[in-house]
DNA sequence: ATCCTTGCAAATGATTTGCAAGAGT
DNA sequence: ACTCTTGCAAATCATTTGCAAGGAT
């Protein structure tokens, strides 16, 4: 918890209960949609409003504390910012898992020299073991 | 034009002027949003409604004629279905370019054996030459 | 002739905004 | 004390739906 207070302050955001709650729930679930966040949070903080979640997600994305994961055929997921990694997405159950990017990949060679790369996003869609 | 008639029929969809127009505009621009489609089409087919575009995009995605490209921080783009490839996206101007996937990549090794991969999506975000 | 598709308008759903009260620094 | 943030309700924007008329096979 204290960890997130530091992150928020370092980003110029006040450490409110609402923000800390959002970050904790997001961290626990790994990847979560806005609706998911709201439902989870509602159980422990029934007064925390949807509007507050929206406002804060927008803000924390701007401050690079949170990252959006846009998904084919569904709402975006959100996660805490960390190193670039692959998302393995089950089309059946919607589960999202992380995987490290194979270091043998020369990611810099992906784009050409004329393009200044800032970040990448790799999503693999398919069916997980449980859903097969 | 006749080419798209075949594709539609093969997918079990009637070849209407509206659908052919959508496919042509989409092909011309490479990648386009719903709004973009509507504005482009409006110039030549002012009566073609937004609702028709929505209905058809949904249908053609189901039939695998069209593919959604979800984008960080903006609406999804759509393109004609073709081989998997990389999208190079300029965060400044929104331009989307295609690039072949480096064949030296062992894409099958990206996921583990337990995951049945159906398709992948690789987006590189940064700044294009013109916007630098 | 039949069934599918269109276009309109209305309905729904998601996200954003304005503002007064409350909380963090 | 000051400024930022919250929560509510209303406003806006995006997407979907129902239905009667028109078009494709």
């Amino acid at each position: 918890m204290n960890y997130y207070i530091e992150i928020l302050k370092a980003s110029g955001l006040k450490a409110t209960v609402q923000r800390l709650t959002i970050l904790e729930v997001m961290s626990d679930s790994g990847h979560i949609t806005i609706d998911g966040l709201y439902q989870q949070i509602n159980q422990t903080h029934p007064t925390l409003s949807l509007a507050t979640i929206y406002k804060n997600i927008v803000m924390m994305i701007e401050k690079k504390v949170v990252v959006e994961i846009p998904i084919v055929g569904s709402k975006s997921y959100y996660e805490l910012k960390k190193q670039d990694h692959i998302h393995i997405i089950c089309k059946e159950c919607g589960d999202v898992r992380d995987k490290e990017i194979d270091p043998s990949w020369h990611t810099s060679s992906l784009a050409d020299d004329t393009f200044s790369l800032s970040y990448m996003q790799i999503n693999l869609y398919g069916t997980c073991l449980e859903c097969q």
Side-chain angles (χ1 to χ4, degrees), chain A residues 3 19 26 44 59 66 68 70 74-76 85 121 131:
Chain A
Y3 175 58
R19 282 175 187 154
M26 193 176 280
T44 51
M59 252 176 176
V66 165
E68 179 189 358
S74 96
K75 299 263 185 67
S76 285
H85 53 273
Q121 179 199 314
C131 290

Side-chain angles (χ1 to χ4, degrees), chain A residues 22-48:
Chain A
I22 290 171
L23 292 177
E24 284 213 321
V25 171
M26 193 176 280
S27 169
D28 285 350
S29 57
H31 321 79
I32 195 164
T33 59
I34 298 280
D35 290 358
L37 259 180
Y38 183 59
Q39 283 165 26
Q40 293 271 320
I41 290 175
N42 213 249
Q43 298 176 11
T44 51
H45 298 74
T47 62
L48 203 164

Side-chain angles (χ1 to χ4, degrees), chain A residues 3-4 7 11 22-23 26-27 30-31 57 60-69 77-85 87 98 118-121:
Chain A
Y3 175 58
Y4 296 125
I7 292 183
S11 307
I22 290 171
L23 292 177
M26 193 176 280
S27 169
H31 321 79
I57 292 289
M60 296 195 289
I61 285 177
E62 268 172 14
K63 300 298 189 181
K64 302 196 194 306
V65 175
V66 165
V67 162
E68 179 189 358
I69 312 169
Y77 280 66
Y78 298 88
E79 68 183 2
L80 298 180
K81 178 152 186 79
K82 48 198 165 189
Q83 272 208 314
D84 277 352
H85 53 273
H87 290 119
D98 287 349
S118 39
Y119 60 96
M120 57 195 286
Q121 179 199 314

Side-chain angles (χ1 to χ4, degrees), chain A residues 58-120:
Chain A
V58 169
M59 252 176 176
M60 296 195 289
I61 285 177
E62 268 172 14
K63 300 298 189 181
K64 302 196 194 306
V65 175
V66 165
V67 162
E68 179 189 358
I69 312 169
I71 301 276
V72 169
S74 96
K75 299 263 185 67
S76 285
Y77 280 66
Y78 298 88
E79 68 183 2
L80 298 180
K81 178 152 186 79
K82 48 198 165 189
Q83 272 208 314
D84 277 352
H85 53 273
I86 295 173
H87 290 119
I88 300 183
I89 302 160
C90 177
K91 292 185 299 176
E92 302 301 323
C93 63
D95 180 56
V96 181
R97 268 181 297 154
D98 287 349
K99 192 180 185 209
E100 282 180 26
I101 293 180
D102 187 323
S104 74
W105 287 19
H106 308 292
T107 57
S108 60
S109 73
L110 288 176
D112 22 83
D113 321 329
T114 62
F115 189 80
S116 155
L117 180 65
S118 39
Y119 60 96
M120 57 195 286

